[in-house]
Amino acid sequence: MRTITLWVAAGLMALAGGNVQANIVTDGSFEVNTNSTPGNSQGSELGASRYAGSTWGNADVLTHWDKSGTRTWYMTDLGGAQFPDGDFAYRLDAHPFEGVNTLHQDGIPLTAATTYALSFEMWGEAGTPRIDVALTGPATLKVLDNSATLGTDGAAETKLAIFTAPATGAYRISFSADDPQNGNAHAWIDDVRLNEIALGPNLVTDGSFEVNTNATLGNGQGSELGTHNYAGSTWGNADVTTHWDKDNRVWYVTDSGDAEFSDGDFAYRIDARLDIGGADTLWQDGIPLTGGTDYVLSFDMWGEGGNPILDVTVTGPDTIALFDDTTAIGNDGAWETKSTLFTPTVTGSYRLNFFTDVNNGDSHTWIDNVSIRAVQPDIIPEPATLGLVALGGLALLRRRRVTRDA
């Protein structure tokens, strides 16, 4: 089972009504049965707040959520309008002193072979906070594993995972921070939503980069996934795929059949060395998009070290910045699937562009398994849930950088 992690970019149109059902999670904003006796002050990148529980957040003070361990903290901004959804949020410690602490809710009803979208807002205190999300019950799903966000840009970021339930039944959803080496980079969450979603066919051709490969391998080149080789005739500088084009310092790479890449035996590496030739781009032309239709772009991303960084845009009749300096953990030995929701305003043929516009040393970004799929309007809520524009679903998904980050 593969999962898709989505970051919803700033300024994007909301999903059209009727594409999603009601929020399956109860009180995803953590506002029900709040405690009116705030504890000591505790700051995050969004501003000053206080512990909201009767013992600085250690007590279970919510009606619909429970937590294990003592180091999951219930927080309030005291009406300061700093949190994304209401005046309360949860902080998950990155130091599991008493074992891994979790915030969880039971009784989540899932149906086998149904696709769901889980979203929540995430921010931190410093560094790069990370979080795990799991669903347990009739089956066990690791929905997110060490999902990272920047903890120093003054913004909450919308994180979302798309998954398909393997079995029908009631599940527990659990949030935890299990990285004992991450110091004070605690993760904060708010605005949790879970809805059904359906996606159409892939509009990107050869998103796995397997078509018209070059059999003459160049020098070895490693990433966090293992040892690989340049796959192009000039160590990846040549345009060697049928459906993709690129500039000079974007490298075509193969794992030589070692099953290390996420989709097939080939991937692309995008250099972060702007001091050598400037920002080079990997792109595909001729992607048909319809104005007013909601689409999900997704791709798998990893690196060589540090935190690889990537920008993604679609250009044509409309220009949309999908990712701006999105990052991934570059040393955990795993790829992370990144995606975003976007809505072009004009119908036509578009170009999809991947590039890095910051000089990030040797933390180059590797990508594979690219897709653009339309959100299908075949999941129609009951009339009573059509007011989801105010209450839940994906209709309100947007990135909070709009007001906090230029």
Side-chain angles (χ1 to χ4, degrees), residues 26 35 88 110 275:
T26 303
N35 190 298
F88 296 85
L110 300 182
D275 55 335

Side-chain angles (χ1 to χ4, degrees), residues 44-97:
S44 76
E45 61 174 317
L46 300 189
S49 61
R50 289 181 181 272
Y51 296 110
S54 58
T55 55
W56 296 9
N58 284 343
D60 289 332
V61 293
L62 287 182
T63 301
H64 304 291
W65 293 88
D66 296 292
K67 60 191 192 66
S68 62
T70 61
R71 302 196 64 84
T72 301
W73 310 89
Y74 188 43
M75 313 300 300
T76 178
D77 66 359
L78 298 178
Q82 295 168 347
F83 295 163
D85 187 16
D87 296 326
F88 296 85
Y90 259 99
R91 190 193 92 178
L92 305 174
D93 270 14
H95 275 300
F97 293 113

Side-chain angles (χ1 to χ4, degrees), residues 26 37 45 54 69 88 103 147 205 221 273 296 302 374-375 379 393 397 403:
T26 303
T37 307
E45 61 174 317
S54 58
F88 296 85
L103 175 69
S147 182
T205 304
Q221 178 61 46
R273 293 293 302 275
V296 171
W302 65 99
V375 178
I379 298 180
L397 280 181
T403 57

Side-chain angles (χ1 to χ4, degrees), residues 1-244:
M1 192 280 299
R2 303 201 70 253
T3 61
I4 304 177
T5 307
L6 289 86
W7 288 11
V8 182
L12 299 182
M13 302 286 290
L15 272 175
N19 281 353
V20 293
Q21 289 185 333
N23 190 3
I24 300 173
V25 171
T26 303
D27 186 27
S29 61
F30 309 124
E31 303 295 302
V32 179
N33 193 22
T34 58
N35 190 298
S36 59
T37 307
N40 286 8
S41 296
Q42 175 65 41
S44 76
E45 61 174 317
L46 300 189
S49 61
R50 289 181 181 272
Y51 296 110
S54 58
T55 55
W56 296 9
N58 284 343
D60 289 332
V61 293
L62 287 182
T63 301
H64 304 291
W65 293 88
D66 296 292
K67 60 191 192 66
S68 62
T70 61
R71 302 196 64 84
T72 301
W73 310 89
Y74 188 43
M75 313 300 300
T76 178
D77 66 359
L78 298 178
Q82 295 168 347
F83 295 163
D85 187 16
D87 296 326
F88 296 85
Y90 259 99
R91 190 193 92 178
L92 305 174
D93 270 14
H95 275 300
F97 293 113
E98 301 89 9
V100 176
N101 301 282
T102 65
L103 175 69
H104 55 88
Q105 182 174 135
D106 289 314
I108 303 295
L110 300 182
T111 303
T114 300
T115 301
Y116 296 89
L118 167 72
S119 75
F120 58 94
E121 297 299 309
M122 178 178 172
W123 65 101
E125 295 171 48
T128 306
R130 307 169 185 179
I131 202 167
D132 295 348
V133 183
L135 286 159
T136 55
T140 298
L141 298 82
K142 193 68 170 286
V143 178
L144 292 174
D145 184 17
N146 274 338
S147 182
T149 184
L150 295 177
T152 56
D153 59 358
E157 300 181 12
T158 305
K159 305 284 273 192
L160 192 146
I162 293 179
F163 63 92
T164 300
T168 298
Y171 287 76
R172 166 179 288 189
I173 185 169
S174 301
F175 295 81
S176 63
D178 65 358
D179 182 4
Q181 306 302 319
N182 210 15
N184 293 320
H186 310 305
W188 300 52
I189 64 170
D190 195 9
D191 194 14
V192 180
R193 305 173 188 271
L194 181 61
N195 312 88
E196 294 183 27
I197 191 173
L199 301 177
N202 191 4
L203 300 179
V204 173
T205 304
D206 187 28
S208 62
F209 311 127
E210 304 296 301
V211 179
N212 193 21
T213 58
N214 190 298
T216 304
L217 301 183
N219 285 12
Q221 178 61 46
S223 77
E224 62 175 314
L225 300 188
T227 301
H228 322 301
N229 291 93
Y230 293 113
S233 57
T234 56
W235 297 8
N237 283 341
D239 290 333
V240 291
T241 54
T242 301
H243 305 290
W244 294 86

